[in-house]
């Protein structure tokens, strides 16, 4: 075997076509962009030895802490133990959270070597408190290492990466849990059909998404995972999100085919849904080739690494505020709403649960808190503001006299309207969305989420537009967008992070003494007058929505809900 130098841990009989080397035998490339293209195309995918050499080059280029343990450290620590036969009976550190070492076509001795390496890493990285992906990464890199010491060095460099803005492995429960929330946010935005399926079938959506990393690093067959690793070592953590979302899309397609149009899926225990996804991913080779999986992953038009990092940090901050920084018994958060005590005159507990599945994951640990209702507080815009100010985010629900139900998720405190002075000023972030529940359920998100091309490379001036309001001329209301200060609760999707090529695409919410408005640009998604009695709805550029009910309507009932920290109650 020509690759035996780099394959001493591999059971070549299990490798199938990957055991036959072909294609290029060397890579003459030092440019990162070129490396990225070659990795995506699988330039070294058919040559085990070349792949090992490329991995070594990529891992050596990772910027690391000044003191990062290397192969010599491993040999010094292990001493004579390195010459003894390792044992897979050595328990893994607690921080892997029960994740086993995937076999990945390794010999039994290779699995035992992975146990030995992981335990040595635990001694050298005492700051690691939660890293379920470590067994899978160690097992993969053993394929492409001459000995245990080289594998130890490679994994050490991945763990010790200190390049600003780049992450490779979660090493704390806070980082891991926030990544699960971030995945939920991305799934909600980029594969709504699959997200809707999970919401319909699982009792706890976050519990299902808590396995997202394991789908990629653990459940994927070796033939697929090694292609992911090709790109991961070049592009970093973002590729894991891409592949996991692609897997979720394929899973939904698989479930739709197996259901055969037999009505709505039944809700079941979350552990059953997790097991179904795991079984699908483990058997994916029968229906989806490795390159087809990557093609689907790269076709996703995700936001930039900067935006995803910002969302991750926001979710971390939310967890810290709730005191969730170490592993603890997971609260069933789907929903933090108790159907026995929840009471709304507009929506049922089931309908509120459906709305909850749309909101950002960091609010999933919160429970609905009724802030304002016209049935108790009267039809007064002043009282609306008095009861809603100081709360962020809020959920607006409207029932019309025709029986239609619509509303909006509003990311920002209504007090922000005062920053515009006497002008009717738009504020808020791209996490805002509008929806209707009756006659049918539909959500309309920020148009830039569905059409990222609207964020151009050309900087615009301070965005302003006209919000039409009752009894006023359209060009009399210039709507500047005040900057939202850094560090507030909802920085993700703030318009200031985008170079928008239209001033109408980021008009989220506005209010003054005689009206509240949601959505702007060539119309408003919702307009409510000062008496909270009459309203209008139409298409607007910001959400690209149709009218949410009759274009002019009378309000039968209006409610505003806040988000109360369920962990503190």
């Amino acid at each position: 075997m020509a690759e035996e130098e780099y394959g001493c841990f591999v059971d070549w009989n299990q490798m199938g076509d990957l055991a036959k080397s072909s294609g290029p035998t060397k890579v003459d490339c030092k440019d990162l962009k070129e490396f990225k293209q070659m990795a995506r195309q699988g330039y070294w995918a058919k040559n085990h030895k070349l792949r090992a050499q490329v991995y070594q080059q990529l891992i050596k280029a990772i910027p690391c802490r000044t003191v990062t343990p290397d192969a010599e450290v491993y040999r010094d620590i292990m001493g004579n133990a390195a010459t003894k036969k390792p044992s897979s009976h050595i328990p893994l550190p607690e921080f892997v959270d029960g994740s086993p070492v995937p076999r990945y076509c390794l010999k039994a001795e290779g699995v035992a070597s992975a146990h030995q390496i992981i335990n040595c890493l635990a001694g050298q990285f005492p700051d690691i408190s939660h890293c379920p992906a470590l067994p899978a990464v160690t097992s993969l890199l053993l394929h492409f290492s001459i000995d245990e010491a080289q594998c130890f060095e490679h994994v050490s460099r991945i763990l010790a990466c200190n390049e600003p803005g780049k992450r490779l492995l979660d090493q704390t429960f806070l980082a891991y849990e926030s990544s699960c929330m971030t995945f939920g946010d991305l799934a909600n935005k980029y594969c709504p059909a699959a997200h809707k399926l999970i919401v319909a079938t699982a009792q706890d959506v976050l519990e299902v998404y808590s396995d997202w990393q394991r789908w990629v690093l653990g459940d994927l067959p070796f033939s697929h995972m090694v292609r992911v690793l090709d790109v991961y070592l070049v592009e970093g953590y973002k590729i894991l999100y891409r592949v996991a979302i692609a897997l979720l899309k394929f899973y939904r397609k698989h479930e739709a085919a197996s259901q055969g149009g037999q009505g709505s899926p039944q809700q079941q225990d979350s552990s059953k849904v997790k097991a179904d996804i795991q079984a699908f991913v483990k058997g994916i080779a029968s229906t989806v080739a490795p390159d087809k999986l990557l093609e689907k992953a790269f076709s996703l038009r995700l936001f930039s690494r900067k935006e995803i990092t910002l969302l991750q940090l926001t979710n971390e901050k939310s967890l810290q505020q709730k005191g969730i920084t170490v592993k603890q018994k997971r609260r069933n958060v789907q929903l933090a709403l108790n159907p026995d005590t929840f009471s709304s005159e507009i929506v049922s507990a089931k309908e509120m649960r459906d709305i909850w599945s749309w909101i950002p994951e960091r609010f999933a640990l919160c429970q609905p808190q009724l802030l304002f209702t016209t049935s108790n507080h009267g039809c007064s815009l002043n009282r609306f503001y008095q009861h809603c100010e100081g709360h962020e985010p809020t959920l607006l629900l409207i029932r019309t006299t025709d029986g239609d139900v619509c509303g909006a998720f509003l990311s920002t405190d209504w007090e922000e309207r005062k920053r515009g002075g006497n002008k009717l000023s738009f504020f808020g972030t791209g996490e805002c969305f509008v929806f209707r529940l009756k006659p049918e359920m539909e959500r309309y998100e920020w148009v830039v989420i569905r059409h990222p091309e609207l964020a151009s490379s050309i900087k615009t001036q301070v965005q302003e537009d006209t919000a039409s309001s009752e009894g006023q001329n359209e060009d009399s209301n210039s709507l500047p967008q005040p900057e939202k200060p850094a560090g507030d609760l909802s920085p993700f999707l703030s318009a200031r992070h985008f170079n928008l090529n239209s001033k109408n695409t980021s008009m989220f919410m506005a209010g003054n003494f005689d009206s509240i408005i949601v959505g702007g640009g060539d119309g408003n998604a919702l307009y409510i007058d000062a008496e909270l009695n009459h309203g209008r709805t139409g298409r607007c550029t910001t959400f690209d929505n149709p009218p949410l009910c009759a274009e002019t309507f009378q309000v039968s009932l209006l409610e505003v809900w806040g988000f109360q920290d369920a962990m503190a109650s």
Side-chain angles (χ1 to χ4, degrees), residues 323-356:
I324 304 173
T325 56
V326 295
K327 188 166 173 33
Q328 52 195 261
K329 181 173 173 55
R330 177 180 290 277
R331 181 189 183 106
N332 188 316
V333 298
Q334 195 61 28
L335 180 62
L337 170 154
N338 184 340
D340 297 326
T341 58
F342 174 74
S343 178
S344 164
E345 296 181 69
I346 297 180
V347 296
S348 67
K350 162 89 171 56
E351 289 168 330
M352 190 61 131
R353 184 181 184 275
D354 289 336
I355 295 170
W356 228 247

Short mmCIF file of all heavy atoms in Angstrom, two decimals, residues 323-356:
data_model
loop_
_atom_site.label_atom_id
_atom_site.label_comp_id
_atom_site.label_asym_id
_atom_site.label_seq_id
_atom_site.Cartn_x
_atom_site.Cartn_y
_atom_site.Cartn_z
N GLY A 323 -27.56 33.24 33.08
CA GLY A 323 -26.75 32.44 33.99
C GLY A 323 -26.47 31.04 33.48
O GLY A 323 -26.09 30.15 34.24
N ILE A 324 -26.65 30.82 32.17
CA ILE A 324 -26.41 29.49 31.61
C ILE A 324 -25.02 29.47 30.98
O ILE A 324 -24.83 29.82 29.82
CB ILE A 324 -27.47 29.14 30.54
CG1 ILE A 324 -28.87 29.26 31.13
CG2 ILE A 324 -27.25 27.73 30.00
CD1 ILE A 324 -29.98 29.12 30.13
N THR A 325 -24.03 29.06 31.75
CA THR A 325 -22.66 29.02 31.24
C THR A 325 -22.04 27.64 31.39
O THR A 325 -20.97 27.38 30.85
CB THR A 325 -21.77 30.05 31.97
OG1 THR A 325 -21.83 29.79 33.38
CG2 THR A 325 -22.24 31.46 31.70
N VAL A 326 -22.70 26.77 32.14
CA VAL A 326 -22.21 25.40 32.29
C VAL A 326 -23.36 24.46 31.99
O VAL A 326 -24.53 24.83 32.05
CB VAL A 326 -21.66 25.12 33.71
CG1 VAL A 326 -20.44 25.98 33.98
CG2 VAL A 326 -22.73 25.38 34.77
N LYS A 327 -23.00 23.21 31.67
CA LYS A 327 -24.02 22.22 31.31
C LYS A 327 -24.96 21.99 32.48
O LYS A 327 -24.54 21.86 33.61
CB LYS A 327 -23.36 20.91 30.90
CG LYS A 327 -24.35 19.91 30.31
CD LYS A 327 -23.61 18.79 29.61
CE LYS A 327 -24.50 17.67 29.16
NZ LYS A 327 -25.83 17.99 28.75
N GLN A 328 -26.25 21.97 32.17
CA GLN A 328 -27.25 21.72 33.19
C GLN A 328 -28.42 21.01 32.54
O GLN A 328 -28.48 20.90 31.32
CB GLN A 328 -27.73 23.03 33.82
CG GLN A 328 -28.18 24.05 32.78
CD GLN A 328 -28.31 25.45 33.36
OE1 GLN A 328 -29.40 25.86 33.68
NE2 GLN A 328 -27.22 26.18 33.50
N LYS A 329 -29.32 20.52 33.35
CA LYS A 329 -30.47 19.81 32.80
C LYS A 329 -31.24 20.75 31.87
O LYS A 329 -31.57 21.86 32.24
CB LYS A 329 -31.38 19.34 33.93
CG LYS A 329 -32.61 18.58 33.44
CD LYS A 329 -33.36 17.99 34.60
CE LYS A 329 -34.68 17.38 34.16
NZ LYS A 329 -34.55 16.38 33.12
N ARG A 330 -31.46 20.28 30.65
CA ARG A 330 -32.12 21.13 29.65
C ARG A 330 -33.59 21.33 30.01
O ARG A 330 -34.31 20.39 30.27
CB ARG A 330 -32.01 20.49 28.27
CG ARG A 330 -32.73 21.27 27.18
CD ARG A 330 -32.57 20.60 25.85
NE ARG A 330 -31.22 20.70 25.39
CZ ARG A 330 -30.73 21.77 24.77
NH1 ARG A 330 -31.49 22.80 24.56
NH2 ARG A 330 -29.50 21.79 24.36
N ARG A 331 -33.97 22.55 30.03
CA ARG A 331 -35.38 22.87 30.24
C ARG A 331 -36.13 22.68 28.93
O ARG A 331 -35.65 23.04 27.87
CB ARG A 331 -35.48 24.34 30.69
CG ARG A 331 -36.91 24.79 30.98
CD ARG A 331 -36.90 26.29 31.19
NE ARG A 331 -38.23 26.74 31.54
CZ ARG A 331 -38.57 27.10 32.77
NH1 ARG A 331 -37.68 27.07 33.73
NH2 ARG A 331 -39.80 27.50 33.02
N ASN A 332 -37.31 22.07 29.00
CA ASN A 332 -38.10 21.92 27.79
C ASN A 332 -38.61 23.31 27.39
O ASN A 332 -39.49 23.87 28.03
CB ASN A 332 -39.29 20.99 28.05
CG ASN A 332 -40.02 20.68 26.75
OD1 ASN A 332 -40.28 21.55 25.95
ND2 ASN A 332 -40.35 19.42 26.57
N VAL A 333 -37.99 23.85 26.37
CA VAL A 333 -38.29 25.25 26.01
C VAL A 333 -39.27 25.36 24.87
O VAL A 333 -39.57 26.44 24.42
CB VAL A 333 -36.99 26.00 25.63
CG1 VAL A 333 -36.07 26.04 26.81
CG2 VAL A 333 -36.32 25.36 24.42
N GLN A 334 -39.75 24.23 24.39
CA GLN A 334 -40.65 24.30 23.24
C GLN A 334 -42.05 23.90 23.67
O GLN A 334 -42.54 22.86 23.40
CB GLN A 334 -40.18 23.36 22.13
CG GLN A 334 -40.82 23.62 20.78
CD GLN A 334 -40.53 24.98 20.25
OE1 GLN A 334 -39.52 25.58 20.56
NE2 GLN A 334 -41.42 25.50 19.45
N LEU A 335 -42.65 24.63 24.40
CA LEU A 335 -42.57 26.08 24.56
C LEU A 335 -42.38 26.39 26.02
O LEU A 335 -42.80 25.64 26.89
CB LEU A 335 -43.87 26.67 24.00
CG LEU A 335 -44.08 28.16 24.02
CD1 LEU A 335 -43.07 28.91 23.19
CD2 LEU A 335 -45.48 28.47 23.55
N ALA A 336 -41.78 27.53 26.36
CA ALA A 336 -41.75 27.99 27.73
C ALA A 336 -43.15 28.44 28.14
O ALA A 336 -43.37 28.87 29.26
CB ALA A 336 -40.77 29.16 27.86
N LEU A 337 -44.08 28.31 27.23
CA LEU A 337 -45.48 28.66 27.46
C LEU A 337 -46.21 27.43 28.02
O LEU A 337 -46.08 26.33 27.50
CB LEU A 337 -46.08 29.08 26.13
CG LEU A 337 -47.58 29.30 25.96
CD1 LEU A 337 -47.79 30.28 24.81
CD2 LEU A 337 -48.29 28.00 25.61
N ASN A 338 -46.94 27.63 29.09
CA ASN A 338 -47.74 26.56 29.67
C ASN A 338 -49.14 26.63 29.09
O ASN A 338 -49.87 27.60 29.33
CB ASN A 338 -47.79 26.71 31.20
CG ASN A 338 -48.53 25.57 31.87
OD1 ASN A 338 -49.31 24.86 31.24
ND2 ASN A 338 -48.28 25.40 33.16
N PRO A 339 -49.55 25.63 28.30
CA PRO A 339 -50.87 25.71 27.65
C PRO A 339 -52.03 25.76 28.65
O PRO A 339 -53.13 26.21 28.30
CB PRO A 339 -50.92 24.43 26.80
CG PRO A 339 -49.88 23.53 27.38
CD PRO A 339 -48.82 24.42 27.95
N ASP A 340 -51.78 25.32 29.89
CA ASP A 340 -52.85 25.35 30.89
C ASP A 340 -53.07 26.75 31.48
O ASP A 340 -54.15 27.07 31.97
CB ASP A 340 -52.55 24.37 32.03
CG ASP A 340 -52.50 22.94 31.53
OD1 ASP A 340 -53.27 22.61 30.61
OD2 ASP A 340 -51.68 22.15 32.05
N THR A 341 -52.00 27.57 31.43
CA THR A 341 -52.11 28.91 32.02
C THR A 341 -52.08 30.02 30.98
O THR A 341 -52.46 31.15 31.28
CB THR A 341 -50.97 29.14 33.04
OG1 THR A 341 -49.71 28.99 32.36
CG2 THR A 341 -51.04 28.14 34.18
N PHE A 342 -51.62 29.73 29.76
CA PHE A 342 -51.55 30.76 28.72
C PHE A 342 -52.96 31.20 28.34
O PHE A 342 -53.86 30.38 28.13
CB PHE A 342 -50.83 30.24 27.49
CG PHE A 342 -50.86 31.20 26.32
CD1 PHE A 342 -50.09 32.33 26.31
CD2 PHE A 342 -51.71 30.97 25.24
CE1 PHE A 342 -50.13 33.23 25.25
CE2 PHE A 342 -51.77 31.84 24.18
CZ PHE A 342 -50.96 32.98 24.19
N SER A 343 -53.16 32.50 28.24
CA SER A 343 -54.49 33.02 27.90
C SER A 343 -54.38 34.25 27.03
O SER A 343 -53.81 35.26 27.43
CB SER A 343 -55.26 33.35 29.18
OG SER A 343 -56.52 33.90 28.86
N SER A 344 -54.87 34.12 25.81
CA SER A 344 -54.94 35.25 24.89
C SER A 344 -56.34 35.26 24.28
O SER A 344 -56.93 34.20 24.05
CB SER A 344 -53.89 35.10 23.78
OG SER A 344 -54.17 35.97 22.69
N GLU A 345 -56.86 36.46 24.03
CA GLU A 345 -58.17 36.57 23.40
C GLU A 345 -58.06 36.53 21.87
O GLU A 345 -59.08 36.56 21.18
CB GLU A 345 -58.85 37.87 23.84
CG GLU A 345 -59.16 37.95 25.33
CD GLU A 345 -59.85 39.25 25.71
OE1 GLU A 345 -61.03 39.43 25.31
OE2 GLU A 345 -59.21 40.09 26.38
N ILE A 346 -56.80 36.46 21.37
CA ILE A 346 -56.61 36.49 19.91
C ILE A 346 -56.12 35.15 19.38
O ILE A 346 -56.60 34.67 18.35
CB ILE A 346 -55.61 37.61 19.52
CG1 ILE A 346 -56.18 38.98 19.91
CG2 ILE A 346 -55.30 37.57 18.03
CD1 ILE A 346 -55.27 40.15 19.57
N VAL A 347 -55.15 34.52 20.06
CA VAL A 347 -54.57 33.26 19.56
C VAL A 347 -54.69 32.16 20.60
O VAL A 347 -54.74 32.43 21.81
CB VAL A 347 -53.08 33.44 19.16
CG1 VAL A 347 -52.94 34.41 18.01
CG2 VAL A 347 -52.25 33.88 20.35
N SER A 348 -54.71 30.92 20.13
CA SER A 348 -54.69 29.76 21.01
C SER A 348 -53.25 29.46 21.42
O SER A 348 -52.29 30.01 20.84
CB SER A 348 -55.28 28.55 20.30
OG SER A 348 -54.43 28.17 19.22
N ALA A 349 -53.08 28.57 22.41
CA ALA A 349 -51.73 28.15 22.81
C ALA A 349 -51.00 27.50 21.64
O ALA A 349 -49.80 27.71 21.44
CB ALA A 349 -51.80 27.19 24.00
N LYS A 350 -51.71 26.72 20.84
CA LYS A 350 -51.09 26.07 19.66
C LYS A 350 -50.61 27.12 18.67
O LYS A 350 -49.51 27.02 18.12
CB LYS A 350 -52.13 25.15 19.01
CG LYS A 350 -51.82 24.75 17.56
CD LYS A 350 -50.98 23.50 17.50
CE LYS A 350 -50.84 22.94 16.10
NZ LYS A 350 -50.32 23.82 15.08
N GLU A 351 -51.44 28.15 18.42
CA GLU A 351 -51.03 29.19 17.47
C GLU A 351 -49.85 29.98 18.02
O GLU A 351 -48.93 30.34 17.26
CB GLU A 351 -52.21 30.12 17.18
CG GLU A 351 -53.29 29.46 16.33
CD GLU A 351 -54.58 30.26 16.28
OE1 GLU A 351 -54.88 30.98 17.27
OE2 GLU A 351 -55.29 30.18 15.26
N MET A 352 -49.83 30.25 19.33
CA MET A 352 -48.71 30.97 19.91
C MET A 352 -47.43 30.13 19.82
O MET A 352 -46.35 30.66 19.58
CB MET A 352 -49.01 31.33 21.37
CG MET A 352 -47.99 32.28 21.98
SD MET A 352 -47.93 33.89 21.12
CE MET A 352 -48.03 35.03 22.49
N ARG A 353 -47.56 28.83 19.98
CA ARG A 353 -46.40 27.94 19.83
C ARG A 353 -45.84 28.00 18.41
O ARG A 353 -44.63 28.00 18.20
CB ARG A 353 -46.82 26.51 20.17
CG ARG A 353 -45.67 25.51 20.15
CD ARG A 353 -46.19 24.10 20.47
NE ARG A 353 -45.09 23.16 20.54
CZ ARG A 353 -44.57 22.53 19.50
NH1 ARG A 353 -45.04 22.78 18.29
NH2 ARG A 353 -43.57 21.69 19.64
N ASP A 354 -46.75 28.06 17.43
CA ASP A 354 -46.30 28.19 16.03
C ASP A 354 -45.55 29.50 15.81
O ASP A 354 -44.52 29.54 15.13
CB ASP A 354 -47.49 28.10 15.08
CG ASP A 354 -48.08 26.69 15.01
OD1 ASP A 354 -47.35 25.73 15.29
OD2 ASP A 354 -49.28 26.57 14.69
N ILE A 355 -46.06 30.58 16.41
CA ILE A 355 -45.36 31.87 16.30
C ILE A 355 -44.00 31.77 16.98
O ILE A 355 -42.99 32.27 16.47
CB ILE A 355 -46.21 33.00 16.94
CG1 ILE A 355 -47.51 33.20 16.17
CG2 ILE A 355 -45.41 34.31 16.99
CD1 ILE A 355 -48.51 34.11 16.86
N TRP A 356 -43.95 31.09 18.13
CA TRP A 356 -42.69 30.96 18.88
C TRP A 356 -41.62 30.26 18.06
O TRP A 356 -40.43 30.49 18.24
CB TRP A 356 -42.95 30.19 20.18
CG TRP A 356 -42.37 30.83 21.39
CD1 TRP A 356 -41.35 30.36 22.17
CD2 TRP A 356 -42.80 32.06 22.00
NE1 TRP A 356 -41.11 31.22 23.21
CE2 TRP A 356 -41.99 32.27 23.13
CE3 TRP A 356 -43.78 33.00 21.68
CZ2 TRP A 356 -42.12 33.38 23.95
CZ3 TRP A 356 -43.92 34.10 22.50
CH2 TRP A 356 -43.10 34.28 23.61
#
